[in-house]
Amino acid sequence: MAFALSTVGMAYCLGMAVLLLFRRTRKFAFWTGLLAVVVTLPLMVVAGSELDKDAREAGYQNAQDRRDAERAGISNPKLWSKQRAEFLSKWRSEELQKEADAKHVSIDEERSSQAACKSDFNCWTNRFQRAATKACAPKVERVAKNNFEWTDSFSSPKFPRAMIDEDGTKITYVGDALKMQNGFGAWVIVTYECDFDTAAGTAITVRVSPGQLSN
């Protein structure tokens, strides 16, 4: 009885969810749907208990155990009791294999995507620009002997230019959005370069020199 009522309740809740899409019935659907949820949830708990009770009386551990037996095509609870472990182990192995296969597919897709990106200059340099900026900027700052001031902005990043080595494992990011104060207190615009290791995700070395980048 509880199972039938809970099924009706769930169907009603779904119906109210559909009516929520329409402005004219939205208020009615919300309140009656809320009431239906409040009534249906306890019925679902009771229905679950009844299904477990019926399954135990039939010789199964619970309702899920009964569904597992049906999945295996076994209707005799005693026979299922003997073969349960074998089937559960088999299904678990199949699930693990599916997860492993999905992981391999994901890895292959990632490798393919990375290879395609690596052959595209903009894609490859943009891929690491944020990480390179985070790793390189502090190293550039430590070169300053006195005060320094970044002049980059949202439309003008710290490292607007880049150079890639032959195999793509190292990218040299370049910029000039920085002023450093010399020993006389004058501010000097400087150009800086940072070699970034794409495999390790680290800044290898930086170089700083007075002057701006040429156009």
Side-chain angles (χ1 to χ4, degrees), residues 10-211:
M10 286 188 289
Y12 188 83
C13 290
L14 289 174
M16 293 303 101
V18 173
L19 290 180
L20 283 172
L21 300 175
F22 302 96
R23 186 175 181 180
R24 294 178 61 183
T25 56
R26 189 168 296 161
K27 186 175 181 180
F28 168 79
F30 175 79
W31 289 109
T32 56
L34 183 63
L35 178 62
V37 169
V38 172
V39 174
T40 301
L41 287 177
L43 286 173
M44 291 176 66
V45 174
V46 173
S49 299
E50 288 183 353
L51 289 174
D52 284 338
K53 180 182 178 182
D54 291 343
R56 285 192 293 270
E57 290 177 351
Y60 300 96
Q61 293 180 345
N62 48 42
Q64 181 59 53
D65 189 51
R66 189 174 201 168
R67 287 192 290 271
D68 289 338
E70 292 173 353
R71 177 185 174 187
I74 300 175
S75 58
N76 188 317
K78 291 184 179 180
L79 180 59
W80 168 243
S81 178
K82 295 178 181 179
Q83 299 187 20
R84 179 190 297 113
E86 179 182 347
F87 275 96
L88 293 180
S89 177
K90 175 187 174 184
W91 293 337
R92 180 55 181 163
S93 296
E94 290 174 349
E95 290 175 1
L96 292 174
Q97 186 60 50
K98 287 181 181 179
E99 292 174 2
D101 292 343
K103 186 175 181 180
H104 288 151
V105 170
S106 177
I107 291 174
D108 290 342
E109 290 177 347
E110 174 61 24
R111 286 175 178 171
S112 177
S113 174
Q114 180 166 310
C117 182
K118 200 171 184 178
S119 64
D120 183 302
F121 179 86
N122 289 331
C123 180
W124 195 242
T125 55
N126 290 339
R127 187 186 188 105
F128 300 99
Q129 188 169 45
R130 181 177 295 182
T133 300
K134 185 177 180 180
C136 292
K139 283 184 173 290
V140 173
E141 292 172 358
R142 284 195 286 271
V143 176
K145 296 180 180 180
N146 300 295
N147 293 329
F148 63 87
E149 180 183 340
W150 289 102
T151 59
D152 60 300
S153 64
F154 179 78
S155 59
S156 179
K158 286 183 172 69
F159 297 92
R161 300 186 187 180
M163 296 175 288
I164 305 176
D165 66 356
E166 291 183 0
D167 60 1
T169 57
K170 184 182 75 175
I171 302 176
T172 300
Y173 289 93
V174 185
D176 61 357
L178 180 65
K179 295 190 297 184
M180 289 185 177
Q181 200 170 32
N182 62 23
F184 300 100
W187 289 96
V188 179
I189 296 176
V190 297
T191 296
Y192 43 86
E193 298 180 355
C194 177
D195 298 329
F196 183 78
D197 187 327
T198 59
T202 58
I204 305 170
T205 184
V206 298
R207 294 170 295 281
V208 178
S209 58

